[in-house]
Amino acid sequence: MEPIRETLKRVVNAPAFSERYNDMRKEVLAHPGVQKFREDHADEIDDSTIDRGLGKLYEYIDQSHDCNKCPSVDACINHLKGFEPNLVLERGTIGISYTKCRLKEAADNKRHASSLIHSMYMPKEVMQATLDKFDADESRMEALMAVGEFLDQVTGPGSLPEKGLYLYGQFGIGKSYLLSAAANELAELNVKTVLVFVPEFMREMKQAIGDQTLQEKVDYVKKADVLMLDDIGAEAMSSWTRDEVLGTILHYRMAEKLPTFMSSNFSYSELEHHLTYSQRGEKEDLKAARVMERIRALTKPVKLEGLNRRN
């Protein structure tokens, strides 16, 4: 039987193999990344180093660089999905290290931003909102500008303006969308936001009394870096939810100077009227005025106008 070394030697020296080897070597050496690597290490790399590292060099050129062959992270062709190869020279030997690619960076940043937004009962499609897709005609420009002015003052979690916005107007004109778009912008600035659909939240608070999670849920909402209360005034407000839930949340945020956004179909005066009457028809002017005092301290009113975009 022929010794294995002799067999390998015969295969390597065969014309067909030699031709393929030379073609591969030319292809490798013509690659811009390999050429730059050789230039950067001109004093350390010779032909024998290239020949010993030809396998690694081919592995390098066969992959995507700067995402030039990959439309997305999921469709990445590289050996480590989401990571691109870099040539390295260690003790005279060519090797490959991997670093996160730009698509992977963008996907991770987006995932991190999403984790900073806690949505409670908000529609999924609204949570994809962006400011650049907000239809800002002349009647809606004031609201968009107000959101922009708030965001311009934010450089991170420790630099938040004390006052948020109170967006009010008719049904379906984009108040929830604008809140969600602002939350997504804040997430890009590493600011955690809690977005709450108020009618459903108040219903859950009544149930939370029975399962003893009321205080935990109220604490989570009231301590958010930025709190957004969507559709306040659409709930059937009882004296208890007004005073012990909403009042408690607003009092804490006013005392701690934490920015709060709200959206409503009601103006300030209309909301105060709504808060004045309990579900049992009791008129409680003083308690409603106390809640409104906190809302006025926490927000700046901005009217949003336009056509109903849900129809």
Side-chain angles (χ1 to χ4, degrees):
M1 181 179 290
E2 184 180 26
I4 188 66
R5 274 188 195 170
E6 293 301 318
T7 303
L8 289 174
K9 187 176 180 181
R10 183 166 49 81
V11 170
V12 168
N13 289 330
F17 180 88
S18 180
E19 185 177 343
R20 287 198 303 271
Y21 180 86
N22 288 330
D23 287 344
M24 183 179 79
R25 196 176 192 278
K26 288 178 183 178
E27 181 184 359
V28 164
L29 296 181
H31 191 277
V34 174
Q35 290 179 351
K36 185 176 186 311
F37 177 71
R38 291 185 72 187
E39 290 172 8
D40 292 343
H41 299 276
D43 296 336
E44 305 167 86
I45 294 177
D46 55 20
D47 286 346
S48 63
T49 308
I50 293 293
D51 289 335
R52 290 196 309 272
L54 199 61
K56 287 293 182 183
L57 291 171
Y58 190 79
E59 180 184 333
Y60 169 78
I61 71 166
D62 193 44
Q63 299 186 70
S64 175
H65 303 272
D66 195 30
C67 307
N68 63 342
K69 299 178 184 177
C70 308
S72 67
V73 175
D74 290 338
C76 181
I77 66 168
N78 288 355
H79 297 181
L80 291 174
K81 190 170 284 192
F83 292 81
E84 61 184 15
N86 302 283
L87 291 172
V88 294
L89 188 66
E90 298 176 331
R91 298 177 184 175
T93 301
I94 296 172
I96 293 179
S97 67
Y98 285 86
T99 55
K100 200 180 291 187
C101 72
R102 60 180 174 83
L103 291 181
K104 173 72 171 167
E105 285 277 6
D108 287 352
N109 289 340
K110 187 174 181 180
R111 192 176 299 111
H112 173 66
S114 296
S115 73
L116 293 174
I117 304 175
H118 187 145
S119 166
M120 301 177 74
Y121 326 111
M122 295 291 287
K124 187 175 181 180
E125 61 273 14
V126 172
M127 294 307 300
Q128 309 302 318
T130 58
L131 288 181
D132 61 342
K133 292 181 181 177
F134 181 72
D135 185 9
D137 56 28
E138 188 176 345
S139 64
R140 296 148 63 81
M141 186 58 70
E142 181 187 358
L144 182 61
M145 293 291 289
V147 169
E149 287 171 10
F150 179 92
L151 294 171
D152 285 343
Q153 298 176 65
V154 180
T155 56
S159 65
L160 297 171
E162 293 179 16
K163 269 198 174 188
L165 301 174
Y166 181 89
L167 303 176
Y168 69 99
Q170 297 302 310
F171 295 99
I173 58 174
K175 300 184 298 295
S176 301
Y177 186 97
L178 191 51
L179 285 185
S180 297
N184 286 323
E185 291 288 333
L186 287 167
E188 295 291 335
L189 297 168
N190 213 33
V191 176
K192 183 177 180 181
T193 301
V194 174
L195 253 164
V196 180
F197 181 60
V198 174
E200 190 60 39
F201 176 70
M202 291 305 182
R203 278 193 287 273
E204 183 170 318
M205 291 307 95
K206 293 174 184 176
Q207 297 172 2
I209 299 172
D211 62 23
Q212 299 181 334
T213 60
L214 174 65
Q215 193 59 51
E216 177 187 344
K217 289 172 180 174
V218 169
D219 284 349
Y220 180 80
V221 169
K222 77 181 186 183
K223 293 178 181 180
D225 290 347
V226 176
L227 175 63
M228 296 186 174
L229 298 174
D230 185 46
D231 218 2
I232 188 168
E235 72 292 331
M237 188 73 74
S238 68
S239 297
W240 178 78
T241 52
R242 179 195 61 205
D243 302 331
E244 302 303 322
V245 179
L246 182 61
T248 297
I249 290 170
L250 297 180
H251 177 75
Y252 179 88
R253 298 190 67 77
M254 185 175 68
E256 296 297 320
K257 298 181 179 179
L258 295 171
T260 306
F261 286 67
M262 300 181 193
S263 75
S264 180
N265 297 323
F266 295 145
S267 64
Y268 274 169
S269 59
E270 290 168 336
L271 181 62
E272 184 165 1
H273 182 268
H274 170 74
L275 296 173
T276 296
Y277 293 90
S278 69
Q279 284 178 307
R280 289 183 281 186
E282 300 164 326
K283 188 178 181 183
E284 298 174 321
D285 302 78
L286 186 60
K287 291 182 178 179
R290 187 178 296 125
V291 172
M292 285 307 305
E293 180 184 19
R294 293 164 184 165
I295 290 175
R296 287 187 173 94
L298 286 165
T299 62
K300 169 189 170 184
V302 180
K303 188 172 184 179
L304 192 62
E305 298 182 295
L307 298 174
N308 188 333
R309 282 159 169 77
R310 294 177 187 166
N311 294 334

